[in-house]
Amino acid sequence: MTLNIKISSKKQEILTGSSNLSSNQKVNFDKHSYMIENMEHNKAYKDQIDSNKSLNKMLILDECKKRYADYRNNWHAQPKKIYQMGYENFNKIKKEILPLCVDIELAAICDLACPHCFREYILTPDKVMNEKFYYDVINQISDLKIPSIKLNWRGEPLLHPKISKFISYAKSKGILDIAINTNATNLSEEKSKEIIESGLDQIIYSFDGGTKKTYEKMRPGRFKSNKFEEVYENIKNFKKIRDELGAKFPVTKIQMILTNDSRDEVENFYQLFSDFVDDVTVTQYNERGGNLEDINIENKNFIKNYLNENNLPIETPYIVDVDNNIFISKGRISCDQLFQRMMITYDGQVGMCCHDWGAQHCVGYLSPEAFNFDKTINNLEAKVKDNKKGFELLRNAKKPKKYNVPQKKISSLIDIWMGEELNKVRVNHFDNKNIDKIDICKGCSFKDTYEWTKIN
């Protein structure tokens, strides 16, 4: 399998549409080409063939390849086309537009207390998804022929005891692309084998730091100490086990966020994982309440002086990439996520996008359990106040705000996707000037919703 080692960021005047700032590559690993080239190993394809021996294998294989290629081609093309046609025209054809991916929060609980995570500042339940509800969601996704799911959001998916069973079920329902993000703390040998054999297509490791000191500072444990060496070995062993099983999937990716602590460790980060992970990347720090230092004093002063000299607001968003190129925001860009994906919490709330932590701008409900959310949060708040074990590092977490409260009723996935609540957000994104009228969108830290210009 080819390794992607990314060394430096794009040399360009305008940086748009990507939080991955390292793109001049020694070797390019293209996950999407790899998926198509190895479609005969995709468990969704194999399950379909195994369930009906009379099917034409080559015909089904070609159909799966085309379906996957269409899904990836539409990832940016679908939102672009819709924004170009305008809201009124979109309303006329909205029944033809389906989500390309659904993010399903198998587990809201996490065993780490990372200072750059929203859960340090917004109370987040230590809960996992109900099995019956999961199957209902997957059945709806399958009926709609949605090609992709991601089985996590706010928490650590490996903390759900039935994750491997859940992946296998989704594959049996024809879902082509299944991914998870994990901190790899629970990626034991047994769990690794289960995950590989379940049919998972991609596993993305979050590992912040190129040294033990930085990693353990950025990823402290909640219930016990989190050790650099243990997680590093888990990631190394996963590749070893995958190779021993002769498996083509899941492909692996590891990412580190750029902070002032990690900027000098980028090369070391690549060296740590170059032999064990297919795709190694660094991404921009997104402010989530921690106010971490992501740049040095020199760059901070440069940005401050530039903003003052050009009469720009001091809070103007900025990016400093791995090559020390500095970009500032020229304005907002309509968000593609509104026409790409849906976000479902463990209890059946549907959030507006992946940056709407905990569905604060809720657009609908899929399960009655969602109506118990306030009680769950009140119980969680009490544990934090009582300094219960595992909650010591969450002392700054507050109750999530409610930016939108939809009608209290249970709806289907497709009804929420095409419903009034989500469309009220979409109509504002058709005009960039209206984006900040939506409370949850105002000041969003998602880099892809800004236009960038280089200033140094």
Side-chain angles (χ1 to χ4, degrees):
M1 192 173 290
T2 313
L3 171 73
N4 180 16
I5 302 182
K6 303 178 180 179
I7 294 301
S8 62
S9 63
K10 293 182 180 179
K11 304 296 192 296
Q12 56 181 15
E13 291 301 310
I14 305 296
L15 179 70
T16 58
S18 175
S19 59
N20 182 351
L21 302 181
S22 301
S23 60
N24 289 342
Q25 301 159 0
K26 287 182 178 177
V27 180
N28 180 43
F29 176 73
D30 182 346
K31 180 219 172 182
H32 307 309
S33 295
Y34 184 88
M35 287 283 288
I36 291 173
E37 291 166 4
N38 291 279
M39 188 59 70
E40 69 271 21
H41 300 283
N42 190 304
K43 195 170 184 296
Y45 162 74
K46 293 196 293 185
D47 283 356
Q48 189 174 357
I49 295 300
D50 291 344
S51 66
N52 189 343
K53 300 296 184 181
S54 65
L55 291 174
N56 184 316
K57 291 184 179 180
M58 291 307 299
L59 181 62
I60 299 300
L61 184 62
D62 287 344
E63 287 177 354
C64 288
K65 288 181 177 181
K66 182 182 184 303
R67 187 173 164 227
Y68 181 86
D70 288 346
Y71 142 60
R72 290 314 311 171
N73 290 336
N74 285 332
W75 189 251
H76 292 297
Q78 178 164 291
K80 181 179 180 180
K81 177 182 177 181
I82 292 168
Y83 281 124
Q84 287 176 342
M85 70 172 56
Y87 184 73
E88 289 186 8
N89 289 326
F90 161 70
N91 256 342
K92 295 175 184 177
I93 66 159
K94 65 182 181 181
K95 290 185 178 181
E96 302 172 22
I97 304 298
L98 292 173
L100 301 167
C101 179
V102 178
D103 291 47
I104 305 171
E105 185 180 63
L106 291 193
I109 186 173
C110 188
D111 54 342
L112 300 186
C114 306
H116 55 283
C117 179
F118 271 132
R119 67 186 307 122
E120 300 303 294
Y121 314 100
I122 300 175
L123 288 169
T124 308
D126 288 334
K127 298 282 189 177
V128 298
M129 182 172 280
N130 172 275
E131 185 172 4
K132 183 177 181 299
F133 175 53
Y134 171 80
Y135 292 141
D136 177 63
V137 169
I138 293 297
N139 290 341
Q140 290 188 55
I141 291 170
S142 177
D143 290 344
L144 294 169
K145 299 189 183 306
I146 296 171
S148 173
I149 60 174
K150 194 175 185 185
L151 295 179
N152 62 277
W153 187 0
R154 298 172 294 178
E156 170 48 51
L158 295 185
L159 292 178
H160 199 299
K162 297 187 177 181
I163 181 172
S164 300
K165 180 181 179 181
F166 284 178
I167 295 168
S168 293
Y169 183 78
K171 279 296 177 184
S172 74
K173 300 298 286 186
I175 297 173
L176 283 177
D177 191 13
I178 304 178
I180 62 169
N181 277 78
T182 178
N183 58 35
T185 58
N186 294 276
L187 196 63
S188 64
E189 181 176 348
E190 180 182 3
K191 182 64 69 176
S192 295
K193 288 179 180 178
E194 289 179 3
I195 288 291
I196 293 166
E197 292 171 350
S198 71
L200 183 68
D201 298 292
Q202 183 177 38
I203 185 167
I204 304 169
Y205 306 120
S206 297
F207 193 102
D208 295 305
T211 64
K212 172 181 172 66
K213 179 181 178 182
T214 300
Y215 172 80
E216 292 184 0
K217 174 183 177 181
M218 293 298 293
R219 294 195 159 262
R222 279 183 62 192
F223 308 107
K224 63 178 183 178
S225 296
N226 182 35
K227 298 298 184 183
F228 172 95
E229 297 86 355
E230 294 175 3
V231 180
Y232 185 58
E233 286 301 312
N234 286 349
I235 294 171
K236 285 174 60 178
N237 287 336
F238 188 87
K239 180 185 185 302
K240 179 183 176 183
I241 294 166
R242 187 185 66 182
D243 290 348
E244 289 173 348
L245 292 173
K248 296 289 187 180
F249 295 104
V251 296
T252 56
K253 177 179 178 177
I254 194 162
Q255 54 193 25
M256 174 181 77
I257 62 166
L258 285 173
T259 66
N260 205 33
D261 289 323
S262 65
R263 283 183 181 275
D264 292 335
E265 299 177 0
V266 170
E267 188 62 34
N268 200 50
F269 178 69
Y270 294 133
Q271 294 302 321
L272 280 170
F273 295 104
S274 61
D275 293 330
F276 312 115
V277 182
D278 305 317
D279 190 358
V280 183
T281 76
V282 295
T283 63
Q284 280 289 325
Y285 166 72
N286 284 321
E287 178 54 52
R288 294 180 170 183
N291 294 314
L292 301 186
E293 294 291 348
D294 62 328
I295 58 175
N296 59 34
I297 292 296
E298 181 182 357
N299 283 335
K300 186 177 289 188
N301 288 336
F302 179 87
I303 294 169
K304 182 178 179 181
N305 291 335
Y306 180 91
L307 295 176
N308 286 334
E309 290 168 4
N310 291 275
N311 296 316
L312 295 171
I314 196 66
E315 66 273 12
T316 299
Y318 63 82
I319 280 176
V320 180
D321 69 18
V322 293
D323 292 326
N324 224 32
N325 296 308
I326 302 174
F327 304 80
I328 63 164
S329 168
K330 293 175 62 178
R332 299 302 297 276
I333 297 175
S334 301
C335 186
D336 285 357
Q337 287 201 33
L338 296 169
F339 300 103
Q340 287 172 333
R341 64 206 289 198
M342 297 184 75
M343 317 295 298
I344 302 172
T345 64
Y346 76 94
D347 59 353
Q349 298 178 77
V350 179
M352 194 184 74
C353 70
C354 72
H355 284 260
D356 175 15
W357 191 265
Q360 293 178 92
H361 190 111
C362 185
V363 294
Y365 307 103
L366 294 168
S367 167
E369 188 180 352
F371 305 141
N372 297 324
F373 182 72
D374 288 340
K375 181 180 179 180
T376 300
I377 288 296
N378 289 336
N379 291 337
L380 184 62
E381 184 181 40
K383 290 181 180 179
V384 172
K385 287 181 178 178
D386 292 342
N387 206 33
K388 297 286 187 181
K389 182 174 176 55
F391 296 87
E392 301 94 335
L393 297 177
L394 306 181
R395 57 187 175 276
N396 294 319
K398 307 297 181 185
K399 288 183 178 180
K401 295 178 181 178
K402 291 186 178 181
Y403 293 109
N404 189 62
V405 181
Q407 183 181 352
K408 195 174 180 179
K409 66 174 184 177
I410 305 303
S411 302
S412 68
L413 202 64
I414 192 62
D415 284 344
I416 294 173
W417 173 255
M418 294 191 300
E420 178 185 358
E421 297 296 342
L422 199 47
N423 281 336
K424 283 191 296 187
V425 177
R426 287 169 173 154
V427 70
N428 283 287
H429 275 258
F430 274 86
D431 185 342
N432 293 354
K433 296 177 182 178
N434 291 333
I435 293 175
D436 284 348
K437 290 182 179 180
I438 308 161
D439 287 335
I440 195 71
C441 298
K442 189 175 183 179
C444 175
S445 61
F446 186 36
K447 306 301 183 187
D448 288 11
T449 64
Y450 294 86
E451 183 178 2
W452 302 100
T453 184
K454 185 179 173 185
I455 63 173
N456 66 334

